[in-house]
Amino acid sequence: MKQNMKMTSLAAAAFMASSTAFSAGEVEVLHWWTSGGEAASVNYLKDKLDGAGVSWSDFAVAGGGGENAMTVLKSRAISGNPPTAAQIKGPSIQEWGDLGFLADINGVAKDNNWDGLLPSVVSDVMKHNGNYVAAPVNVHRVNWLWSNPEVFRKSGATIPTTWDDFMVQAKKIQDAGYIALAHGGQDWQDATVFEAVVLGIGGPEYYQKAFVETDMDALNSDTTTAVFETFGKLRQFIDSNSPGRDWNVATSMVINGEAAMQIMGDWAKGEFKVAGKSVGTDYTCTAAPDTSGSFTFNVDSFAFFSQSDLGNQQAQKVMAKEILGSDFQEVFNLNKGSIPARLGMSRDKFDSCAHDSMDAFIASSQTGGLVPSFAHGMAVSSAVSGAIYDVATNFFNSDQSAAEGASQLVSAVKAAK
Ligand code: GAL
């Protein structure tokens, strides 16, 4: 009996040793992808890692745009216990790199030719001091208008391509008894709509100067007042239940025909897909008014935090490699509504919205119309983007005049830079 027990525990120990030898470790991954389309996307990453022997510890922090997730990430990092990988984007990657938190994944990047696979507008953001510290999963286009064609038909309205026309069509929709603009009153959603107005009214050159380079002359100009004028006119087209509403709930209002339009990045398409809707018949995607030649880009990426455990270091490398794999880039982006970050991918399985996005990405990169999204952390430091959020949201939720909005923006950006 004693002998038997001894043998069993030896066998168990041997089994455990062999199973650890096969396991490539664990990744704890912080992200904010909790809506239907987002969850379907991130689950594919989990499956891929599972197939590669890496186990997944989910660290999801709900809240569109990721503000809550970033707050939680800071407290974990400060207490000396950051996750293995976290969804961090744009200039924030540099901020975390400067603080010394990030791990270098150059080896994986070199072995898999990331410099050759990624457009430089993407790879530049993934590097800190010339070393890869993050892996990109996609390219989202933010300046989209999502519409329900049936609501338009019933209202005798047409999908607007300019902001002037938007006001005319939105009025018809409202008069027909529908909500013209589905919107969630959260600061990042206010900033997303504001960004579309900045791009449409100011054009990409003004956008770049004022909201990327934070040039004070560009910000302190009549164009900024004109932007706030148009932005302010949108207040009348949203419903009184919008405060606090999540973005995917706003998308569902367009899906179910309660509202005609939503201005949102193409993660909204993930929700139409989960609801079983088809582009062209059930919904349409067009560029936000006056922005058809431009593209506000938002690249989601995972940054890797330095780890002392060798197994976890190995797991990070596997995760980085899987993310740039062509199968992952295809399936993830079909679910997410975005387009692959990796170049040279087949377009066959993607729909017309994705094709439009792919074409606009290339065309706008040649004309200067390709600009980073400030509403999604791609353009300016977190301090400056926070200042823009505050001004946009205060303005949108008050009866401030356009001149007041513009002057508050100038002071807030000046103080934050
Ligand atoms: C964006 C993010 C997208 C999407 C969206 C809503 O900032 O880049 O991937 O998830 O927030 O949560």
Side-chain angles (χ1 to χ4, degrees):
M1 180 70 187
K2 241 187 173 169
Q3 182 76 356
N4 259 351
M5 266 184 66
K6 205 171 166 193
M7 281 193 52
T8 318
S9 48
L10 270 176
F15 173 76
M16 275 173 66
S18 72
S19 64
T20 24
F22 280 107
S23 159
E26 181 184 272
V27 281
E28 187 194 17
V29 184
L30 179 133
H31 63 91
W32 63 89
W33 287 332
T34 56
S35 78
E38 290 175 332
S41 313
V42 77
N43 281 341
Y44 194 64
L45 180 56
K46 190 178 161 198
D47 290 350
K48 277 267 151 196
L49 293 182
D50 205 37
V54 169
S55 53
W56 176 278
S57 163
D58 200 49
F59 188 3
V61 181
E67 273 175 278
N68 299 345
M70 290 304 105
T71 306
V72 174
L73 177 61
K74 277 177 206 148
S75 68
R76 276 283 300 266
I78 288 166
S79 63
N81 182 27
T84 334
Q87 192 188 341
I88 308 179
K89 304 185 291 186
S92 284
I93 297 176
Q94 305 308 315
E95 294 172 11
W96 284 101
D98 289 347
L99 292 171
F101 276 106
L102 301 185
D104 170 343
I105 49 160
N106 261 340
V108 181
K110 278 222 171 72
D111 290 351
N112 295 281
N113 185 30
W114 285 15
D115 278 341
L117 289 181
L118 296 172
S120 57
V121 71
V122 174
S123 59
D124 288 350
V125 181
M126 302 301 134
K127 293 177 184 172
H128 178 253
N129 292 338
N131 298 315
Y132 278 99
V133 291
V137 293
N138 65 6
V139 178
H140 272 302
R141 187 184 193 189
V142 185
N143 57 311
W144 282 115
L145 176 70
W146 305 92
S147 305
N148 181 318
E150 202 187 326
V151 175
F152 272 85
R153 253 194 313 278
K154 288 185 181 155
S155 312
T158 51
I159 295 173
T161 55
T162 66
W163 280 114
D164 282 347
D165 192 37
F166 183 97
M167 308 304 165
V168 176
Q169 304 306 330
K171 178 86 178 50
K172 285 188 206 165
I173 292 160
Q174 212 168 42
D175 289 347
Y178 298 98
I179 295 165
L181 186 61
H183 183 69
Q186 297 174 343
D187 59 0
W188 73 272
Q189 293 185 67
D190 295 340
T192 300
V193 175
F194 178 63
E195 175 174 290
V197 177
V198 169
L199 187 65
I201 298 295
E205 226 173 280
Y206 162 80
Y207 181 108
Q208 173 75 27
K209 276 220 143 15
F211 290 87
V212 182
E213 293 160 22
T214 58
D215 175 302
M216 293 322 288
D217 290 338
L219 276 168
N220 202 355
S221 69
D222 293 346
T223 310
T224 306
T225 313
V227 165
F228 277 97
E229 239 143 49
T230 297
F231 187 44
K233 284 186 193 155
L234 300 180
R235 292 171 182 140
Q236 61 188 308
F237 296 123
I238 62 177
D239 66 305
S240 59
N241 291 328
S242 73
R245 177 187 287 142
D246 287 330
W247 68 272
N248 52 317
V249 175
T251 309
S252 72
M253 292 162 64
V254 179
I255 293 175
N256 66 30
E258 205 183 324
M261 301 177 270
Q262 183 184 22
I263 290 166
M264 189 48 66
D266 41 22
W267 47 92
K269 203 178 74 185
E271 303 308 299
F272 286 100
K273 187 173 176 195
V274 166
K277 301 296 177 187
S278 307
V279 65
T281 44
D282 301 322
Y283 71 98
T284 64
C285 56
T286 47
D290 288 307
T291 71
S292 66
S294 303
F295 191 120
T296 33
F297 67 88
N298 172 24
V299 177
D300 285 314
S301 49
F302 285 103
F304 299 97
F305 281 77
S306 299
Q307 301 287 313
S308 49
D309 182 275
L310 286 179
N312 292 348
Q313 287 176 15
Q314 183 54 27
Q316 282 179 325
K317 291 183 183 141
V318 175
M319 180 172 169
K321 179 166 185 269
E322 289 295 331
I323 283 177
L324 261 284
S326 53
D327 175 68
F328 173 75
Q329 291 269 323
E330 181 174 87
V331 179
F332 177 88
N333 285 299
L334 287 170
N335 290 331
K336 191 73 169 66
S338 37
I339 59 174
R342 181 179 159 148
L343 296 167
M345 298 271 303
S346 159
R347 296 164 60 123
D348 293 356
K349 293 200 180 132
F350 288 90
D351 64 15
S352 57
C353 303
H355 288 171
D356 281 359
S357 179
M358 291 169 185
D359 293 342
F361 185 77
I362 295 168
S364 63
S365 71
Q366 283 150 9
T367 59
L370 183 63
V371 287
S373 165
F374 65 75
H376 292 277
M378 297 300 299
V380 282
S381 68
S382 44
V384 173
S385 76
I388 300 172
Y389 271 33
D390 287 350
V391 172
T393 210
N394 284 340
F395 174 84
F396 205 52
N397 293 291
S398 69
D399 56 2
Q400 270 178 16
S401 69
E404 281 168 327
S407 90
Q408 302 235 332
L409 182 69
V410 171
S411 333
V413 172
K414 203 182 210 167
K417 2 199 294 180

